[in-house]
Amino acid sequence: MMNMLNKENSTVSRAWEATLRKTHAAKKRANSIFGTIALANATATNTTTSSSSTNAVEENDKNCTISEAAYFTEKILPNGEYYKGQWCDNFPEGQGKYYWIDGCMYVGEWHRGKTMGRGRFRWPSGATYEGEFKSGYMDGTGTYVGSNGDTYKGQWVMNLKHGNGIEYYANGDRYEGEWRRGLRYGIGKYQWHNKNHYDGEWKNGVIHGNGCFVWSNGDQYDGCWEDGMPKGNGTYQLSDGSFYVGYWSKEENEQNGTYHPSESSSNDVEWDPKIVYNQLADCKISPGEKVPILPSQKKLAISYSSNSAEKSRRPSIDGRGSLVLERPFDKMDLWGENDNDFNSFEMSRQLDCEFYGVNPAESNYKFNPVLPLKVPKPGNRQGEKISVGHKNYELMLNLQLGIRHSVGRPAPPTSLDLKPSAFDPKEKIWTRFPPEGSKYTPPHQSCEFKWKDYTPVVFRSLRKLFKVDPADYMLSICGNDALRELSSPGKSGSFFYLTDDDIYMIKTMKKAEVKVFLKMLAAYYNHVRSFENSLVIKYYGLHCVKVTGAIQRKVRFIIMGNLLRSEYTIHTRFDLKGSSLGRVTNKPESEINSTTILKDLDLNFIFKLQKAWFHKFCWQINRDCEFLEQVRTMDYSLLVGLHFREISSDPRNESSRLHSRSTSDQLLLDLERQANMVLGANMPARVERTIRKPECELQLVGEQTGEYYKVILSFGIIDILQDYDITKKLEHAYKSIQYDPTSISAVDPKLYSKRFRDFIFKAFTEDT
């Protein structure tokens, strides 16, 4: 036994000595760097550091009056990172500087361990940001200088350029104007280093809208733009006084204009607008340098030990701070010398567990408020790529050929005011696709098949209503990248396919489901046209592939939007119906990942929306449910995806748990300024953790804990094609004998709608 203890002590000693060597080296390295970097007392437009502010933090070390709440300290942390500055309640507080082991560093103001106020952040590449921070984010007015020399001065919101700003590019280009979510968006002027310039509207980083482009030789185009090129009505004025006016398009068959030569013009032939498109192809917009790693992603290697341990490390009476070298095992102080702290922690833990009626030893975090929240581990990309040799490879080719034919087929402009005949289920078009090709179809390498388009005019109008560009639509589904088949069919036996860009989902359908959908199509169309913020899933096409030959079969497809396709990583997914029978994920915790669809009894949050959005949400849920009642459908659900903005999938890393209301509210108000926010898509919100009591395991919404997390929400209503037919009526009658009738999914549409809304309005609340 003694030999084992000696061996363990020897191992600890060696580890301790290694840590000492590492941390002394870190201090030496940090001092050499911080000796040349400090927070400048300048506005965000000043990128140089004045000599009077060069050692702002060091002067504070000597001259500031340290209160009982905050004091000056110097810390070398177990992993070699370094902090020097003011400290309070085990957090950086006030002025301070922090050096990360990867070479990132920050000098400036802190509040409870987060960069807050004015500061300067530097990356190992040499890039710097100097300006305002909020809760760890670059937020406010600030200047970013990239490692390649790109410089942006202006407004930021949550690490993104947002508002008015000016950017100077390393190649000599310059942009001054409006930004939104990191992209040029709104009114702005871009000047190239060759003196060409554009002044006008932008969208998603490219020229889009109305604007004027002036070339260095004096020529100019003034008119409409789309995706960086003239599209629509416009006038091109040549420097000699000649001009061309008319409708512009890259497609020659769409161009329609007149050339007017001036008296002094030597050009007596018809002028070709294609010249302009060729000239613009050389005018590239600089993409700018991306921020290597966001300051809000940088975590502090401080140990969250008790307050009393920190009080014992107060500065000496002369006000100087002393170097505090944290031991590798400081996080275990609760179990060592600080017995009082352990007792108070244990007492608090027991009281929490007693309040919630749980066993302190309970290991399931859904039932124990003391255990940290666990975010599911990242899952692999969903679906299996359908490549050559896959059993459904030919089916995919048929689908892609059919979509390309349907969407690309010339058709008269569609009006959104459709005649009743457009919705007739008999309104369909059959097309034969022989392998050798035909007058209307191209040759292909698949087997012969027939393709059916259901109510094509309706779906063309729906795509127009949903602002789907036909070219983008075809590229997503029919591009070079293969579809991906989800690993297992849904409960209904249908198979699901995803496009490679995750924008569209394709579902196989039974004949009965097609009939239900065609029956409700007119009501669906009128509903989504009347309510542009409808949360009901968007449908883009309904088709059928009929394979001819020895093995004949029909496969019906519906194409819909992928509700959880987001620019943010989805960490957790919920499918919520408001029923409890069977509404739990039967998977061991180790197998649950970010792609697992959790259900009602797995729900451990209340979703909190800001006031204006909460009222819009409630109003729209009511309108959507009224529509679903009208078409006699049930068994639908609200699909919710959560992106946690500051939480790790590693339960041991809790440095960003529990955000104050004031900070979160401010962040929400900042994001509210984004004019293009849409109900249900990438919405900033907060969630409050809930806990279920074991004896109330079937409780749909648990007890509130007061523990909040900042999230981005995406949600919408899915699975709306199940009508309350005789099968569902029999299912309801059978299950009602065995279970509580209100707990099962198969209930009358009116009752289903009421139960669904009652539950959703408990799970979603106003953030006060």
Side-chain angles (χ1 to χ4, degrees):
M1 183 67 177
M2 288 298 293
N3 288 336
M4 290 177 63
L5 288 173
N6 289 335
K7 186 176 180 180
E8 185 176 340
N9 289 335
S10 175
T11 302
V12 171
S13 297
R14 286 197 300 272
W16 177 243
E17 288 169 4
T19 303
L20 281 176
R21 288 193 299 271
K22 181 171 64 174
T23 51
H24 281 306
K27 182 177 186 294
K28 183 178 179 181
R29 185 168 62 252
N31 283 336
S32 68
I33 295 170
F34 282 128
T36 61
I37 294 179
L39 175 65
N41 295 321
T43 63
T45 57
N46 182 11
T47 60
T48 61
T49 304
S50 65
S51 59
S52 61
S53 64
T54 300
N55 289 311
V57 179
E58 283 78 353
E59 288 300 315
N60 188 47
D61 299 352
K62 300 175 184 177
N63 302 325
C64 72
T65 302
I66 307 295
S67 68
E68 279 298 303
Y71 62 94
F72 183 81
T73 189
E74 190 172 357
K75 289 178 177 285
I76 295 181
L77 301 156
N79 65 347
E81 294 177 357
Y82 172 84
Y83 174 79
K84 184 177 182 181
Q86 290 176 282
W87 193 265
C88 177
D89 195 21
N90 208 30
F91 290 101
E93 182 77 27
Q95 291 280 346
K97 53 192 176 185
Y98 194 101
Y99 171 76
W100 284 269
I101 198 68
D102 63 1
C104 292
M105 60 195 83
Y106 171 81
V107 183
E109 296 177 280
W110 298 79
H111 179 63
R112 291 197 59 77
K114 287 191 175 291
T115 54
M116 182 81 77
R118 290 197 58 79
R120 190 170 188 227
F121 192 97
R122 179 173 177 177
W123 287 264
S125 63
T128 61
Y129 169 83
E130 185 170 349
E132 294 176 290
F133 287 82
K134 288 181 186 174
S135 211
Y137 295 91
M138 299 183 289
D139 199 309
T141 303
T143 299
Y144 175 81
V145 181
S147 60
N148 66 351
D150 287 356
T151 301
Y152 170 81
K153 302 177 181 180
Q155 294 175 301
W156 299 74
V157 171
M158 296 191 70
N159 294 329
L160 296 175
K161 302 164 190 170
H162 191 92
N164 288 305
I166 181 170
E167 182 149 13
Y168 302 90
Y169 299 96
N171 63 0
D173 293 357
R174 164 183 166 171
Y175 172 81
E176 182 173 5
E178 296 177 90
W179 299 76
R180 187 179 297 176
R181 300 204 317 185
L183 299 172
R184 290 171 285 269
Y185 201 122
I187 303 297
K189 180 178 180 179
Y190 192 101
Q191 181 163 325
W192 282 263
H193 60 280
N194 62 6
K195 305 305 180 184
N196 294 346
H197 70 267
Y198 167 81
D199 196 348
E201 293 180 290
W202 297 74
K203 182 178 180 182
N204 295 329
V206 298
I207 297 171
H208 193 103
N210 291 304
C212 180
F213 193 106
V214 180
W215 281 263
S216 56
N217 64 2
D219 292 359
Q220 69 176 47
Y221 168 81
D222 194 348
C224 298
W225 297 75
E226 186 176 293
D227 294 331
M229 290 292 173
K231 179 69 180 288
N233 294 317
T235 300
Y236 186 88
Q237 181 88 39
L238 284 82
S239 57
D240 63 4
S242 306
F243 65 94
Y244 176 92
V245 61
Y247 186 87
W248 292 70
S249 173
K250 288 180 70 176
E251 304 298 329
E252 291 187 17
N253 61 338
E254 294 182 0
Q255 292 175 5
N256 184 15
T258 306
Y259 173 67
H260 301 271
S262 68
E263 294 181 1
S264 61
S265 173
S266 59
N267 188 6
D268 56 356
V269 296
E270 189 68 18
W271 183 80
D272 190 354
K274 190 183 295 183
I275 296 171
V276 177
Y277 291 95
N278 293 335
Q279 290 173 337
L280 288 171
D282 298 327
C283 296
K284 304 293 185 183
I285 304 292
S286 177
E289 181 179 281
K290 290 186 177 180
V291 179
I293 184 171
L294 303 177
S296 57
Q297 294 174 316
K298 301 300 295 179
K299 306 303 179 187
L300 307 188
I302 58 176
S303 59
Y304 289 78
S305 53
S306 61
N307 293 347
S308 59
E310 290 301 321
K311 290 176 182 177
S312 65
R313 298 170 181 166
R314 295 288 184 186
S316 58
I317 197 167
D318 64 359
R320 295 180 184 174
S322 58
L323 176 66
V324 178
L325 184 63
E326 294 206 354
R327 295 172 295 157
F329 308 107
D330 264 1
K331 291 188 180 182
M332 299 180 66
D333 276 348
L334 290 175
W335 305 97
E337 58 195 27
N338 300 320
D339 292 333
N340 292 335
D341 294 325
F342 170 71
N343 290 335
S344 62
F345 170 80
E346 190 62 25
M347 184 179 296
S348 172
R349 183 173 181 269
Q350 293 284 357
L351 286 172
D352 279 346
C353 292
E354 187 177 321
F355 175 79
Y356 290 105
V358 300
N359 182 348
E362 172 61 60
S363 62
N364 191 331
Y365 68 91
K366 288 197 295 185
F367 301 115
N368 194 332
V370 176
L371 294 175
L373 176 69
K374 293 183 181 179
V375 174
K377 60 188 177 184
N380 296 325
R381 195 176 188 198
Q382 288 181 285
E384 175 192 357
K385 192 172 182 178
I386 305 177
S387 52
V388 178
H390 191 283
K391 63 179 181 179
N392 287 325
Y393 179 70
E394 284 198 346
L395 185 63
M396 180 189 76
L397 292 182
N398 298 346
L399 171 69
Q400 292 177 326
L401 285 164
I403 292 291
R404 194 177 289 118
H405 171 76
S406 299
V407 178
R409 183 172 54 226
T414 56
S415 167
L416 295 180
D417 297 318
L418 301 181
K419 297 178 180 178
S421 59
F423 299 95
D424 190 335
K426 296 178 182 177
E427 191 69 23
K428 48 198 171 190
I429 299 175
W430 278 102
T431 306
R432 179 172 161 268
F433 280 79
E436 65 276 11
S438 69
K439 182 179 178 181
Y440 303 103
T441 63
H444 58 87
Q445 298 180 357
S446 182
C447 59
E448 180 171 335
F449 68 96
K450 292 181 73 177
W451 173 262
K452 183 196 288 188
D453 282 318
Y454 293 90
T455 58
V457 174
V458 177
F459 285 106
R460 196 179 305 125
S461 299
L462 280 171
R463 292 193 293 270
K464 182 178 178 181
L465 182 66
F466 295 143
K467 297 180 175 59
V468 174
D469 181 81
D472 291 340
Y473 184 70
M474 281 197 290
L475 191 62
S476 286
I477 301 174
C478 312
N480 294 330
D481 295 313
L483 302 177
R484 303 197 314 276
E485 183 179 75
L486 298 192
S487 57
S488 60
K491 188 178 178 182
S492 63
S494 300
F495 282 86
F496 291 86
Y497 303 90
L498 280 171
T499 57
D500 190 69
D501 56 13
D502 289 332
I503 296 177
Y504 301 105
M505 183 173 281
I506 301 167
K507 176 188 176 185
T508 62
M509 298 182 74
K510 296 176 182 176
K511 186 176 182 179
E513 290 178 305
V514 171
K515 286 184 176 180
V516 169
F517 185 46
L518 292 174
K519 184 179 176 183
M520 65 182 282
L521 185 56
Y524 172 82
Y525 181 85
N526 292 329
H527 178 75
V528 295
R529 187 181 176 190
S530 301
F531 303 103
E532 64 176 358
N533 287 324
S534 173
L535 296 172
V536 174
I537 191 165
K538 292 179 171 63
Y539 292 112
Y540 301 105
L542 182 62
H543 313 281
C544 175
V545 169
K546 182 180 180 182
V547 179
T548 58
I551 303 176
Q552 296 192 3
R553 62 169 178 158
K554 283 185 180 180
V555 183
R556 300 167 184 85
F557 298 95
I558 191 164
I559 302 174
M560 51 194 169
N562 179 9
L563 283 173
L564 298 190
R565 197 259 182 179
S566 171
E567 60 196 272
Y568 301 95
T569 301
I570 300 296
H571 295 127
T572 305
R573 302 157 193 256
F574 290 101
D575 180 276
L576 306 174
K577 292 186 176 183
S579 57
S580 57
L581 184 62
R583 299 296 295 161
V584 67
T585 303
N586 295 319
K587 275 188 176 183
E589 192 175 312
S590 59
E591 293 181 16
I592 293 177
N593 60 40
S594 59
T595 64
T596 304
I597 306 274
L598 303 175
K599 299 179 182 177
D600 299 66
L601 295 180
D602 301 305
L603 182 65
N604 54 333
F605 298 110
I606 290 176
F607 307 101
K608 293 187 169 287
L609 304 180
Q610 199 208 9
K611 182 177 180 179
W613 286 105
F614 175 70
H615 290 303
K616 287 181 182 179
F617 170 78
C618 293
W619 188 87
Q620 191 58 57
I621 285 286
N622 281 322
R623 301 293 80 76
D624 289 339
C625 286
E626 287 167 3
F627 156 69
L628 295 170
E629 275 185 55
Q630 172 196 339
V631 296
R632 298 288 294 167
T633 188
M634 40 76 66
D635 216 23
Y636 47 86
S637 55
L638 188 75
L639 184 65
V640 183
L642 284 81
H643 166 82
F644 289 90
R645 282 153 64 181
E646 284 190 319
I647 192 168
S648 169
S649 58
D650 184 349
R652 297 169 296 179
N653 183 1
E654 298 175 67
S655 60
S656 56
R657 293 180 69 208
L658 303 178
H659 302 284
S660 68
R661 286 176 178 268
S662 58
T663 299
S664 296
D665 289 346
Q666 183 59 48
L667 292 171
L668 289 175
L669 289 173
D670 288 339
L671 280 171
E672 186 67 56
R673 297 198 298 264
Q674 297 182 34
N676 64 343
M677 235 172 76
V678 178
L679 184 67
N682 296 332
M683 293 185 63
R686 293 195 305 160
V687 292
E688 182 179 5
R689 186 181 173 190
T690 59
I691 294 291
R692 287 186 175 83
K693 296 181 180 179
E695 66 270 19
C696 303
E697 193 170 349
L698 297 181
Q699 180 183 17
L700 288 176
V701 179
E703 305 285 342
Q704 300 177 43
T705 64
E707 188 174 315
Y708 295 87
Y709 299 87
K710 295 181 291 185
V711 297
I712 301 291
L713 289 181
S714 297
F715 50 81
I717 298 174
I718 62 170
D719 294 338
I720 67 167
L721 302 183
Q722 178 60 63
D723 68 335
Y724 194 56
D725 58 8
I726 186 63
T727 305
K728 287 295 178 181
K729 290 176 181 177
L730 290 172
E731 180 185 338
H732 175 77
Y734 173 73
K735 288 186 176 179
S736 295
I737 299 171
Q738 299 173 292
Y739 308 104
D740 178 0
T742 62
S743 70
I744 60 181
S745 294
V747 295
D748 177 82
K750 195 172 185 66
L751 176 59
Y752 190 96
S753 170
K754 181 180 184 306
R755 185 182 65 188
F756 176 78
R757 279 186 269 185
D758 288 346
F759 168 60
I760 294 301
F761 294 150
K762 288 177 184 175
F764 283 77
T765 64
E766 180 182 334
D767 195 346
T768 57

